[in-house]
Amino acid sequence: MQLYGELKYLQKLQETMSRALGLSALIAYPDGRLLTEITNLCSFCALINNNPEGKARCAASRAATVRAAASAGKAVTHTCHAGLVHLATPLNVAGELAAVLMGGSVALQELAKEAVLQLARETGIGHEELLAAAIKVPVWSEERLSAATGMMQAVAETVARLLYTGQELQKKVNELTALFEFSKTVSSSLEVAEAARQGLEAVLGLTGAAGGSVLMLDEAEPGAATAEVAAALEPDNGPGIIPAGEIIAAVGREAAAAHFDDEKNAAEGKRPAVAVPLTVGGRVTGVLTLAGRPGGQHFTGEETVFLTTLGTALGLALENARLFRRVQERAAMLERLLEVGQVVSGSFDADRIIEAALGGVRDVLGARWCVLRLLDESTGDLVLRGNVGMSPGLQVETGRIRPDGNLLGEVLQKGEPVVVEDLADAVTSTRLPYSVPEVRALVVVPVKAGGKTLGTLKIYSPVPRRWSEEEVEYLVIIASQLGLALENARLYSSLRKYYLNVVQALAAALEARDAYTRGHSLRVAKLARLCARLMGLGAEEQEQVYMAGLLHDIGKIGVCENILLKPGPLTPEERKEMQGHPEVGARILEPAGFPGGVTAAVRHHHEDYGGGGYPDGLSGEEIPLLARIIRVTDAYDAMTSARPYRKALTPDQAFNELKRCAGSQFDPRVVEAFLRIPGDEMVNIDGGGGGIATLLAILGEIFFLFKQVR
């Protein structure tokens, strides 16, 4: 019986009673096993119980006495093996035998000396010690024992009534225990769906209901339309019971349980069902619904109250899980925001910036459509600049739109976000300038930079949607980052174009200073590209070496004209100034954002493969490959071009010189590839002209290649 646990708690009462009556006492199971410890033993009994043989005899005697009382169903008096008298009284609770109360350890007359000595011999206890203890055994009259019997009976009845009351209270204890276990179960997960499923399974187990569901209500507007099904369970994996909208609304409004008959999922007839509120701080956050009791029983009032209590625990657990989910979503937003911020702040490529920003919006907000439009200041139109999800046809149809008198115009005019939860209910001023049936809800935020509105950023939903403050805030931040990044990209593009124009002008001015070198840079560039192709380099490296060839002597713009045009050999001082032109050229190109390979080739195109070149004295593979290619093609064109102080070498003479210096001045692999350039292609390059045509060609080639490589 469940009452045995409570009987054990009577130890203190038993001890008090036994001392008051002068009797030893205990409570035992009906089969003789002890429920409580023996209290108030006399010294005689204590001495016997400290002896193994005596203890075994006492236990057997007690068990016999208890079983006798249990069998008789009334109080019995029994004389134990040691000659002491014990009284055993049954304890009945709710008509059922629960235990036996036993008291005794007294004698009706003084114990016989011979009996005590015989007991000493049988148990091995010292006879003098046992005789001394026997003298102290209380001797009671039958009248006194009868009075004690009545007292013990009264106590037994009192205990029985206490136990019966405890049994009545046990249901409450069980409910509290179930509530505690239930709270532990639903609080073990921070996932909304998992916590709801665990809670629903626990409730079904406690009530015996066949199925049910857990709904989470919208915090701002509780109701069926905004309820989230967190969990639903039915036999055979059938659809869970979902209450009608008016039932959910009533539970949310009144914060009280609602009883109804479920017909939707009942195979035969109706099922009694109940919907109870899930509450947090007096606010209804959800609805727990149960249906299908064994035998078609209805949920009683007590059960409904208990379910409402469980609903409070489940509501708190689900609210914690929902808050945790919100924190996770917020963290995901911030993480994606950082990723997008790194891209847009670290790039001057407008297309890449737009792609990263729109991708971030799509991933975090789950937007099916996301559209960026920038304002054309010359026409006042909003021009489609980037999108996610728009069909090609719609992109063409809405490539340019007027913002007058519509939602986009309102955003441009006020410079603030506009949120529409359902376009069907929107007024004219908050409609789009074009009709798209698939669009039902949207958010539009301005794209700004430096206090100026550059355009709009929009996200769409195909169904009515309540946009959260976090979602709108995230879109505003993305739009702000996007606006600044696009403005920076525009400014960088303008600055780069300006600087490139300056570099182009310097290159043209350089060749214009020296009639003998006109066309030299263009020929070096073409030869370098051919050589790179024959060496198996990729298209990107071929274009970079070509650009390096065009610009390799740009640093000579800083060399004095009397040195640059000197008809004879240079002095050591003049040679030192001339040898500084690779470094000057690299410094000129670096701010323009040229690829690193181009700048490095310009800086190192006078390094010797065997060492000893300038400006850094590199050798072998330390020299960038593109620089080694320019070294060969530059030397070949210089040898085959006439100078005021010498005649031009023939191609064959130049080839022999390249072979001779391979390994010392030139990379042997580059020389080998250069010598394999087809003769007809070499003739076409050598046939290039000079003067104005060459200058225009250089300017065009540099501008085109710079855009391609970037």
Side-chain angles (χ1 to χ4, degrees):
M1 292 183 64
Q2 295 180 350
L3 293 174
Y4 291 140
E6 283 72 13
L7 285 168
K8 290 182 179 180
Y9 297 138
L10 298 176
Q11 183 77 46
K12 188 173 182 179
L13 176 62
Q14 169 193 305
E15 183 177 349
T16 302
M17 180 189 68
S18 64
R19 287 178 178 174
L21 295 177
L23 297 172
S24 65
L26 62 87
I27 299 176
Y29 291 100
D31 61 5
R33 290 177 296 119
L34 294 182
L35 265 171
T36 62
E37 296 179 3
I38 304 173
T39 57
N40 201 35
L41 277 176
C42 67
S43 59
F44 182 73
C45 288
L47 185 59
I48 295 174
N49 275 273
N50 285 334
N51 176 270
E53 176 63 25
K55 184 176 182 179
R57 291 188 179 193
C58 288
S61 180
R62 281 195 303 270
T65 304
V66 168
R67 286 195 294 269
S71 177
K74 61 181 181 179
V76 298
T77 301
H78 180 74
T79 302
C80 72
H81 71 101
L84 301 184
V85 178
H86 300 274
L87 182 65
T89 303
L91 298 179
N92 295 302
V93 179
E96 183 180 354
L97 177 63
V100 175
L101 176 64
M102 181 175 170
S105 297
V106 299
L108 295 179
Q109 59 185 5
E110 291 184 1
L111 297 178
K113 182 178 180 179
E114 287 301 325
V116 174
L117 291 175
Q118 180 64 30
L119 180 61
R121 286 191 294 271
E122 292 175 354
T123 59
I125 301 174
H127 64 277
E128 292 183 1
E129 186 179 9
L130 191 59
L131 283 172
I135 296 173
K136 299 178 181 179
V137 172
V139 177
W140 285 22
S141 65
E142 291 187 7
E143 292 77 10
R144 185 177 179 183
L145 183 59
S146 177
T149 301
M151 180 68 73
M152 292 189 70
Q153 183 68 37
V155 171
E157 290 176 354
T158 301
V159 170
R161 285 195 297 270
L162 289 174
L163 294 178
Y164 181 76
T165 302
Q167 189 177 46
E168 290 296 305
L169 293 174
Q170 187 63 40
K171 292 181 182 179
K172 297 297 182 182
V173 174
N174 291 341
E175 288 182 358
L176 292 174
T177 302
L179 178 60
F180 175 72
E181 295 298 329
F182 179 79
S183 298
K184 286 201 305 182
T185 298
V186 298
S187 300
S188 62
S189 175
L190 286 175
E191 295 291 335
V192 172
E194 180 64 15
R197 183 191 63 78
Q198 291 178 349
L200 182 56
E201 287 180 346
V203 174
L204 293 179
L206 289 171
T207 61
S213 66
V214 177
L215 304 180
M216 299 290 289
L217 303 183
D218 186 281
E219 295 179 275
E221 185 179 349
T226 54
E228 171 191 350
V229 180
L233 295 173
E234 280 288 336
D236 302 322
N237 296 321
I241 174 175
I242 307 298
E246 57 270 20
I247 295 177
I248 296 176
V251 172
R253 181 177 60 254
E254 300 174 11
H259 293 265
F260 63 99
D261 291 325
D262 173 45
E263 301 178 359
K264 180 178 180 181
N265 295 311
E268 299 179 1
K270 300 178 180 180
R271 299 189 304 176
V274 62
V276 298
L278 307 181
T279 59
V280 176
R283 176 172 54 89
V284 178
T285 60
V287 177
L288 168 65
T289 305
L290 301 175
R293 296 293 302 282
Q297 300 176 11
H298 287 78
F299 293 89
T300 66
E302 290 184 1
E303 289 173 331
T304 303
V305 171
F306 179 58
L307 287 173
T308 302
T309 303
L310 293 180
T312 301
L314 181 57
L316 181 60
L318 291 178
E319 184 67 10
N320 288 338
R322 183 154 60 177
L323 290 174
F324 179 72
R325 181 174 65 182
R326 190 178 304 161
V327 169
Q328 284 185 312
E329 292 172 351
R330 187 72 171 176
M333 281 187 180
L334 293 176
E335 183 178 1
R336 195 69 175 92
L337 193 61
L338 288 175
E339 293 175 0
V340 173
Q342 289 175 347
V343 173
V344 300
S345 63
S347 175
F348 294 111
D349 185 335
D351 292 334
R352 185 168 179 236
I353 292 170
I354 293 171
E355 180 182 359
L358 298 188
V361 172
R362 176 199 59 210
D363 296 342
V364 173
L365 302 185
R368 182 173 299 183
W369 296 290
C370 183
V371 179
L372 170 68
R373 294 185 180 277
L374 298 180
L375 186 64
D376 184 342
E377 296 183 351
S378 62
T379 63
D381 293 343
L382 279 171
V383 181
L384 181 63
R385 187 63 179 83
N387 79 92
V388 171
M390 289 184 71
S391 66
L394 186 59
Q395 293 181 45
V396 173
E397 180 184 347
T398 64
R400 300 181 73 93
I401 57 176
R402 297 294 301 175
D404 303 328
N406 55 52
L407 183 147
L408 302 183
E410 180 181 346
V411 173
L412 291 176
Q413 182 180 4
K414 296 181 178 179
E416 297 177 353
V418 171
V419 179
V420 180
E421 297 179 356
D422 191 349
L423 279 171
D425 301 330
V427 297
T428 303
S429 61
T430 57
R431 293 184 181 275
L432 289 173
Y434 49 86
S435 176
V436 182
E438 295 85 356
V439 176
R440 286 295 302 273
L442 56 85
V443 179
V444 187
V445 299
V447 178
K448 297 181 178 180
K452 178 181 178 182
T453 301
L454 306 180
T456 61
L457 179 61
K458 303 180 290 297
I459 54 174
Y460 302 116
S461 170
V463 295
R465 175 171 173 176
R466 180 180 295 277
W467 305 95
S468 68
E469 292 182 6
E470 290 83 0
E471 290 173 326
V472 177
E473 180 183 353
Y474 178 80
L475 196 62
V476 169
I477 294 174
I478 287 291
S480 176
Q481 287 188 333
L482 184 58
L484 291 174
L486 290 176
E487 182 65 10
N488 288 340
R490 185 189 68 79
L491 294 174
Y492 177 78
S493 178
S494 298
L495 181 62
R496 185 180 64 186
K497 184 176 180 181
Y498 170 78
Y499 195 87
L500 182 59
N501 289 338
V502 172
V503 172
Q504 292 168 352
L506 289 175
L510 174 64
E511 293 210 348
R513 294 172 67 189
D514 186 358
Y516 289 98
T517 61
R518 289 176 183 170
H520 168 69
S521 296
L522 191 56
R523 291 193 299 272
V524 169
K526 290 181 178 180
L527 288 170
R529 183 163 58 188
L530 286 173
C531 187
R533 186 190 70 195
L534 292 173
M535 292 183 71
L537 301 187
E540 182 177 354
E541 289 177 298
Q542 291 181 39
E543 294 309 311
Q544 287 189 12
V545 79
Y546 184 69
M547 183 180 292
L550 291 174
L551 299 170
H552 74 284
D553 278 340
I554 189 69
K556 289 183 178 179
I557 199 72
V559 178
C560 295
E561 191 167 314
N562 61 339
I563 297 176
L564 187 65
L565 303 179
K566 187 175 181 179
L570 301 178
T571 66
E573 291 76 12
E574 293 171 337
R575 184 176 294 105
K576 182 177 180 180
E577 182 175 346
M578 180 66 79
Q579 289 178 351
H581 81 272
E583 289 185 272
V584 175
R587 288 200 300 270
I588 291 173
L589 297 182
E590 283 172 354
F594 282 92
V598 174
T599 304
V602 170
R603 178 182 179 86
H604 298 293
H605 75 277
H606 275 293
E607 304 281 3
D608 288 342
Y609 192 77
Y614 58 88
D616 298 321
L618 304 180
S619 64
E621 300 298 317
E622 294 178 339
I623 307 170
L625 178 58
L626 302 189
R628 283 179 266 154
I629 294 174
I630 298 297
R631 183 75 171 100
V632 171
T633 58
D634 183 30
Y636 173 80
D637 189 72
M639 288 188 288
T640 56
S641 299
R643 291 291 187 269
Y645 51 86
R646 65 163 175 81
K647 294 181 179 180
L649 299 182
T650 65
D652 288 339
Q653 289 174 323
F655 290 156
N656 290 332
E657 189 66 15
L658 291 176
K659 293 176 185 178
R660 185 180 69 82
C661 296
S664 57
Q665 278 185 281
F666 312 119
D667 183 345
R669 286 194 308 125
V670 176
V671 171
E672 185 274 332
F674 183 83
L675 296 177
R676 288 190 287 112
I677 297 177
D680 56 343
E681 294 190 41
M682 188 74 75
V683 170
N684 290 336
I685 291 175
D686 289 339
I692 296 301
T694 301
L695 298 181
L696 293 177
I698 290 177
L699 290 174
E701 291 286 348
I702 292 176
F703 184 70
F704 174 76
L705 286 172
F706 186 83
K707 290 194 297 180
Q708 290 294 106
V709 175
R710 291 296 295 171

